[in-house]
Amino acid sequence: MKSIKDWVFSHLVSMSLVSSRPLSGSDSFFNEGRLDEELDDQGSTHTASLVAPPVLPDGSHASYGNHEHQHNPSLQQDSVQDSYPHGSNKKKMDPLAKIEDLQVKFLRLLRRLGLSQENILVAKVLYRIHLASLIQAGESDVKRVNLGSNRAKAVAAEQEAAGLRELDFSFRILVLGKTGVGKSATINSLFEEMKTVTDAFQPATDRIQEVAGTVNGIKITVIDTPGLLPSSSSTVRRNKKILLSVKRFIKKSPPDIVLYFERLDVINMGYTDFPVLRLVTEVFGTAIWFNTILVMTHSSSDLPEGPNGYPVNYESYVTQCTDLVQHYIHQAVSDSRLENPVLLVENHPQCKKNIMGEKVLPNGQVWKSQFLLLCICTKVLSDVNSLLKFQDSIELGPLSTARLPSLPHLLSSLLRHRSISSPNGMDDEIDENSLLDTQEEDEYDQLPSIRILKKSQFERLTNSQKIDYLDELDYREILYLKKQLKEEYQRRRENRLSKEENLVNDDNSDSQQVSPEAVLLPDMAVPPSFDSDCLVHRYRCLVTGDQWLVRPVLDPQGWDHDVGFDGISLESALELNRNVFASVTGQMSKDKQDFSIQSECGAAYTDPKGPTYSVGLDVQSSGKDMICTVHSNTKLRNLKHSVADCGLSLTSFGNNCYVGAKLEDTITVGNRLKFMVNAGRMGGSGQVAYGGNIEATLRGSDYPVRNDNVSLTMTILSFNKEMVLGGSIQSEFRLRRGLRVSVNANLNSRKMGQVCIKTSSSEHLQIALVAAFTIFKALLRRKAIESRSRETLESG
């Protein structure tokens, strides 16, 4: 479940409404980084030539030394004095009261601009202010917030009717964009006078300068910057110098709004300004895009022709261009949740005008009033975020896919049975003594010979004869496999005894053994690709006698020239010394962006007459971090049919450590019945989880040749003062010849459960029936969904 702040963030950036965040000095937007250090020598001398004194409304220039004192008072400071001149200091310190003052000033500005509260942009801003107030307020202040919204509207109307003094409202704007896109021309159109020099044939702005003025009673300060050059290998250094100079200039007095300019008439599917967007993000940080408005100039230019030879629709063309620029901004910040508001601008003198002399776009919109509305909304939401201290919890960037491992998950991993693979691949769970003591395997040598029938001879048999013949073959196969298994364990026992007696002849004979020849493994089935059929470049893998198996990892969805190989897997099991075994299994995958690794390493020392000690290391990647777990186990075989096990584990993830311990006892009754009881504890980060299992397993009569079994498990887990009981049943058996079935069902005290049935068949008819049943089930589900949708439409 997402937190309240995450929910607010999704509301703030998921819609095409201006979303603002105050760019405080602590933000990465203003922190000097490595780029400053790289170009500090050249940039320090070049900055002076890039910075010009600010241009005041009367056309005079102010000294740059007083630049840090030119920023007008903030909105929330003036609001208290305007709306409540006799308010107490306690009221000034109340964030909810300040937000109410912001609403009053916002509504007064709307009245002066002639905008209605029914405007969709205004309604969304008021809704978000109300939503943020509800989140900030406690349960006792909910009624106060609801009343404050209505009171703010009444106070705004009353103050405007009384003719109070002018609102002291101002904001600072930073202008960014490539050269020749119309930044300076837009500034002149905004103030309706020549504030900056423009040139249609060469860059007109060669230094950073402030332009101040008043528009409709609102004080606006614009920071005009030199234009960036189109992205290429030769212009990256110059663009970086300009951006670093701008960053140093705005460090003392941050802007409230950022305008990023693009030309609407030159954007097409070949848009190649992503390196510029990435450089802006690299220098200023992702925070710069949070309060950025996309400005599209030349919005009244002739539209391109469509496939039918006629000009395309204006709205669809604007949407296509802005979506393309927004897509590259998403890539630059690695976050697709952000949606920047868009402002269409036309500065040409021949642009159409309404009866009031305002420039009108082809869609009938007056861009200057829309510009003021967007800036006012951005400033108001910025101050709301600052008052409620939401700016620290709202960050842009890639979503973190790494999740902290939960204590119940770590505890279940600790309680899971672990075994060390021996070099000969034998299972350590098989009771070696009971297997060697049985005489059932000798029956295979006493069986009479059987004639193997050819396919034509088998077809001439009756159905009952075919069944009897196949049953006889299965019976002989089981006896043969048991005989081989018994001989293998007997050979292991003889080798162990010979090593204990320190037979030198055995060592010499081992040294004289010839290494087996390398065996070429078959090629993997790879997906289709556009490469030639003669894949001479494809790497092959060999199985040698050094007990190391290295194989490529196949990605079935890959379409690259490596035919889907995007990683390697490593497996090995070897005997380091007498009674000391080690095993290593792992897999590494690497694509163009991510690297992942999963590895399990373990070593065990087995005392033939005593306990077994083991230690292991598990490594798993989680996002850009690594989860490392060190665990150790000790098995005590004090009784013939009982094995006690105690273990410890230490898991490290980031700055968190988790320590766990477990106790386990396994009791076997014969070769087929096994009981297992364990309990464990896992603690870390101020939390503790307890758990345990009780399991009973009944193996099939053909064990260990065939792994038919039925297992019942009872589980108990206690975490965060809550206890959960669960039960599960697992079964795997052969239903008939050529058909195996696996059933897994579980249910817990939270009334949550799962049933899973898997089948594997070697008969084509059964496979076809399973596919037909799946398709039929999907058709029925689709029909049910369509009927419900039809009923919903009819009822609506």
Side-chain angles (χ1 to χ4, degrees):
M1 180 178 180
K2 64 170 65 175
S3 63
I4 292 180
K5 291 185 177 180
D6 293 337
W7 180 62
V8 173
F9 177 74
S10 64
H11 278 70
L12 288 176
V13 300
S14 61
M15 295 184 291
S16 58
L17 167 65
V18 54
S19 303
S20 176
R21 174 182 180 183
L23 303 173
S24 59
S26 62
D27 198 286
S28 60
F29 184 24
F30 303 103
N31 289 340
E32 298 290 338
R34 296 174 56 188
L35 296 175
D36 286 334
E37 299 173 358
E38 294 175 359
L39 301 175
D40 185 60
D41 296 337
Q42 296 91 346
S44 59
T45 58
H46 186 66
T47 304
S49 62
L50 284 177
V51 179
V55 180
L56 299 180
D58 56 0
S60 60
H61 294 271
S63 62
Y64 181 68
N66 296 328
H67 166 67
E68 61 269 22
H69 302 292
Q70 294 171 7
H71 193 198
N72 291 287
S74 63
L75 175 60
Q76 60 266 26
Q77 292 174 349
D78 300 325
S79 302
V80 178
Q81 299 175 0
D82 291 341
S83 302
Y84 300 94
H86 303 289
S88 62
N89 292 332
K90 181 179 179 180
K91 192 169 188 179
K92 290 184 180 181
M93 298 300 294
D94 186 3
L96 296 180
K98 292 183 179 180
I99 291 177
E100 185 176 339
D101 294 337
L102 288 175
Q103 288 180 294
V104 172
K105 179 166 287 190
F106 178 60
L107 295 173
R108 291 183 61 186
L109 288 171
L110 294 178
R111 286 177 170 270
R112 297 191 178 188
L113 294 177
L115 297 174
S116 172
Q117 298 180 14
E118 304 299 328
N119 183 290
I120 184 172
L121 185 60
V122 174
K124 289 182 178 181
V125 172
L126 292 176
Y127 166 74
R128 291 185 180 183
I129 295 175
H130 181 70
L131 178 65
S133 302
L134 289 176
I135 295 175
Q136 179 71 16
E139 295 183 0
S140 58
D141 292 336
V142 173
K143 184 177 180 180
R144 173 188 171 189
V145 172
N146 295 328
L147 294 177
S149 300
N150 298 327
R151 184 169 59 249
K153 297 178 181 179
V155 172
E158 180 182 352
Q159 291 183 355
E160 284 299 300
L164 294 182
R165 65 182 179 87
E166 292 294 326
L167 292 173
D168 190 7
F169 184 80
S170 63
F171 47 80
R172 293 171 58 83
I173 300 175
L174 173 64
V175 172
L176 294 175
K178 292 189 304 180
T179 181
V181 295
K183 300 186 297 297
S184 300
T186 303
I187 295 174
N188 294 334
S189 299
L190 177 65
F191 294 108
E192 297 182 350
E193 58 179 299
M194 186 62 67
K195 291 284 189 177
T196 59
V197 179
T198 60
D199 195 319
F201 303 100
Q202 61 182 358
T205 304
D206 58 354
R207 61 186 61 194
I208 305 172
Q209 62 178 347
E210 284 190 0
V211 179
T214 302
V215 180
N216 290 3
I218 301 175
K219 299 177 183 178
I220 301 177
T221 302
V222 181
I223 305 173
D224 193 13
T225 61
L228 304 175
L229 296 179
S231 58
S232 66
S233 58
S234 59
T235 60
V236 173
R237 189 171 185 84
R238 183 185 183 280
N239 289 341
K240 189 182 296 186
K241 260 185 189 178
I242 294 174
L243 294 176
L244 288 173
S245 301
V246 174
K247 185 177 181 180
R248 282 187 283 266
F249 183 86
I250 64 177
K251 185 176 181 180
K252 296 180 179 179
S253 185
D256 301 305
I257 303 150
V258 179
L259 301 182
Y260 187 82
F261 282 75
E262 286 285 357
R263 284 188 58 164
L264 184 66
D265 58 335
V266 299
I267 296 178
N268 51 39
M269 297 309 295
Y271 182 77
T272 58
D273 285 343
F274 172 70
V276 175
L277 300 174
R278 185 174 55 186
L279 183 61
V280 171
T281 307
E282 184 180 355
V283 174
F284 295 101
T286 58
I288 190 175
W289 299 108
F290 200 89
N291 65 335
T292 296
I293 300 175
L294 297 180
V295 181
M296 297 293 179
T297 59
H298 296 263
S299 297
S300 294
S301 302
D302 294 335
L303 298 175
E305 293 183 354
N308 55 1
Y310 293 94
V312 297
N313 179 267
Y314 183 78
E315 297 293 344
S316 61
Y317 176 72
V318 170
T319 302
Q320 178 183 358
C321 295
T322 54
D323 288 347
L324 184 61
V325 178
Q326 186 72 72
H327 170 71
Y328 284 110
I329 294 177
H330 289 166
Q331 290 188 347
V333 300
S334 300
D335 196 331
S336 59
R337 297 172 295 174
L338 177 67
E339 288 193 28
N340 299 96
V342 178
L343 176 65
L344 303 178
V345 172
E346 180 55 68
N347 300 310
H348 198 278
Q350 302 300 324
C351 178
K352 293 182 180 180
K353 299 181 180 180
N354 57 14
I355 58 176
M356 300 180 62
E358 299 172 324
K359 293 182 179 180
V360 180
L361 300 175
N363 60 356
Q365 187 181 75
V366 179
W367 72 263
K368 188 174 179 180
S369 60
Q370 183 70 10
F371 166 81
L372 293 176
L373 178 59
L374 286 175
C375 292
I376 292 172
C377 293
T378 303
K379 173 67 175 176
V380 170
L381 289 179
S382 173
D383 291 335
V384 170
N385 289 339
S386 179
L387 284 173
L388 299 182
K389 299 179 181 180
F390 283 162
Q391 63 270 20
D392 295 332
S393 61
I394 302 175
E395 296 180 357
L396 294 176
L399 294 175
S400 178
T401 57
R403 308 178 70 179
L404 290 177
S406 63
L407 288 185
H409 173 74
L410 294 177
L411 181 59
S412 62
S413 178
L414 174 63
L415 297 177
R416 177 171 56 90
H417 177 74
R418 299 176 182 271
S419 60
I420 303 297
S421 300
S422 60
N424 48 29
M426 305 303 294
D427 190 354
D428 62 348
E429 289 189 352
I430 300 177
D431 191 349
E432 182 178 342
N433 295 325
S434 61
L435 184 65
L436 294 176
D437 292 341
T438 58
Q439 303 296 327
E440 182 182 3
E441 291 76 5
D442 299 336
E443 296 181 9
Y444 180 79
D445 297 331
Q446 301 174 3
L447 291 175
S449 60
I450 183 174
R451 185 166 63 105
I452 304 300
L453 300 179
K454 298 181 179 179
K455 183 177 181 180
S456 59
Q457 296 173 338
F458 180 78
E459 294 295 337
R460 289 196 293 266
L461 298 178
T462 62
N463 292 333
S464 60
Q465 290 176 340
K466 290 180 180 179
I467 295 175
D468 294 339
Y469 176 74
L470 294 177
D471 290 342
E472 179 66 21
L473 290 181
D474 288 343
Y475 177 69
R476 289 173 177 265
E477 182 185 7
I478 292 173
L479 293 182
Y480 177 73
L481 293 176
K482 287 185 177 181
K483 176 185 176 182
Q484 282 191 323
L485 189 61
K486 179 180 178 180
E487 292 176 352
E488 179 64 26
Y489 274 97
Q490 190 171 3
R491 185 184 61 82
R492 290 178 59 191
R493 172 178 284 188
E494 291 175 356
N495 291 337
R496 186 168 61 248
L497 293 176
S498 62
K499 289 181 180 180
E500 292 176 357
E501 296 174 0
N502 297 322
L503 296 178
V504 181
N505 296 333
D506 183 69
D507 295 337
N508 295 333
S509 61
D510 291 343
S511 61
Q512 296 175 0
Q513 291 182 356
V514 180
S515 300
E517 296 182 358
V519 179
L520 181 64
L521 292 181
D523 289 336
M524 289 184 177
V526 297
S529 69
F530 296 100
D531 293 331
S532 63
D533 295 334
C534 183
L535 301 177
V536 295
H537 65 277
R538 181 183 301 174
Y539 293 100
R540 300 176 183 270
C541 53
L542 299 175
V543 175
T544 60
D546 57 359
Q547 297 177 336
W548 289 90
L549 178 61
V550 181
R551 294 275 287 171
V553 177
L554 177 65
D555 180 13
Q557 306 298 329
W559 285 88
D560 209 345
H561 292 283
D562 58 358
V563 290
F565 295 151
D566 62 349
I568 61 171
S569 64
L570 174 67
E571 296 181 16
S572 178
L574 61 157
E575 184 177 2
L576 301 178
N577 200 350
R578 188 178 65 178
N579 299 330
V580 178
F581 303 95
S583 68
V584 178
T585 60
Q587 176 175 315
M588 293 184 294
S589 299
K590 177 70 173 71
D591 58 15
K592 296 179 180 179
Q593 294 182 351
D594 300 327
F595 171 78
S596 63
I597 180 174
Q598 295 85 31
S599 174
E600 293 185 3
C601 307
Y605 169 76
T606 302
D607 187 353
K609 300 180 181 180
T612 299
Y613 306 97
S614 64
V615 62
L617 172 64
D618 299 342
V619 178
Q620 180 179 358
S621 59
S622 176
K624 295 183 179 180
D625 298 323
M626 303 293 291
I627 301 178
C628 300
T629 301
V630 179
H631 55 84
S632 63
N633 291 75
T634 301
K635 289 186 178 181
L636 305 175
R637 302 177 182 269
N638 297 328
L639 301 177
K640 182 178 180 180
H641 298 287
S642 177
V643 178
D645 186 1
C646 59
L648 297 173
S649 74
L650 174 63
T651 301
S652 174
F653 182 78
N655 297 325
N656 300 320
C657 291
Y658 305 88
V659 181
K662 75 167 184 176
L663 293 175
E664 180 178 304
D665 190 21
T666 303
I667 301 174
T668 58
V669 180
N671 293 332
R672 299 179 57 187
L673 186 60
K674 182 182 74 171
F675 296 95
M676 187 270 295
V677 180
N678 61 21
R681 176 189 183 275
M682 180 66 66
S685 300
Q687 296 179 325
V688 179
Y690 301 90
N693 298 321
I694 300 176
E695 180 180 350
T697 303
L698 178 63
R699 302 187 178 100
S701 58
D702 297 332
Y703 178 82
V705 176
R706 288 179 178 168
N707 194 25
D708 295 347
N709 63 83
V710 178
S711 177
L712 292 174
T713 305
M714 298 296 296
T715 304
I716 182 172
L717 175 66
S718 176
F719 179 63
N720 284 342
K721 299 181 180 180
E722 184 178 1
M723 183 175 296
V724 178
L725 301 177
S728 65
I729 178 173
Q730 297 180 0
S731 178
E732 184 177 352
F733 55 92
R734 190 176 71 160
L735 189 61
R736 51 168 295 183
R737 186 177 295 105
L739 178 63
R740 292 191 63 84
V741 180
S742 175
V743 180
N744 186 359
N746 57 77
L747 182 67
N748 58 30
S749 58
R750 292 184 175 181
K751 299 181 180 180
M752 300 175 62
Q754 182 182 16
V755 177
C756 179
I757 301 177
K758 298 180 180 180
T759 61
S760 61
S761 174
S762 59
E763 298 184 9
H764 298 289
L765 178 60
Q766 296 175 354
I767 297 175
L769 291 176
V770 171
F773 175 77
T774 304
I775 296 174
F776 179 72
K777 188 70 175 178
L779 292 176
L780 291 179
R781 184 179 303 172
R782 181 178 179 181
K783 184 178 180 181
I785 294 175
E786 290 178 353
S787 61
R788 285 198 297 267
S789 301
R790 191 180 303 109
E791 293 176 358
T792 303
L793 292 175
E794 292 176 355
S795 62

